[in-house]
Amino acid sequence: MTLNPFSTKPAPLSQAARVFAKFGGVRCLMRALHKIDPDRPRDTSAVYRWNYSKLRGGTGGLIPLGAMPAVMEAARHEGILLTADALDPRCKCPP
């Protein structure tokens, strides 16, 4: 992901933030997940919690293993390339 050098937004660091950015945001990811499995309801707030710290009731920036196959399928369906770097569970710290 290329960031505007004049932007004050921090670079996505967690696995969840990097995947959200690849899809264009949480809502876009939710739409893609709904397209591949419209009968499976997903709570938007639960997906947002993937990027929350564990102290805030989140997953610490990790996509749950149970959700990963659906995320991968949604990426394939949308033509999004999820690289090993994007899926790496380790936090990426800026240089």
Side-chain angles (χ1 to χ4, degrees):
M1 180 173 116
T2 305
L3 291 178
N4 179 341
F6 302 105
S7 173
T8 58
K9 293 168 68 174
L13 300 177
S14 70
Q15 176 194 52
R18 292 189 305 269
V19 170
F20 293 163
K22 289 276 192 175
F23 276 90
V26 175
R27 290 185 188 271
C28 294
L29 171 58
M30 289 295 297
R31 275 189 226 110
L33 290 170
H34 182 71
K35 283 181 192 175
I36 62 162
D37 193 0
D39 296 330
R40 180 168 183 215
R42 283 192 168 64
D43 184 14
T44 305
S45 64
V47 176
Y48 272 105
R49 283 194 303 269
W50 294 352
N51 205 31
Y52 291 175
S53 70
K54 290 184 179 185
L55 291 174
R56 289 183 60 199
T59 63
L62 298 176
I63 297 172
L65 289 177
M68 192 59 78
V71 170
M72 297 293 290
E73 185 178 343
R76 276 191 299 275
H77 187 267
E78 296 293 312
I80 296 169
L81 176 63
L82 290 180
T83 62
D85 189 51
L87 297 174
D88 186 348
R90 296 172 290 185
C91 244
K92 303 293 181 189
C93 298

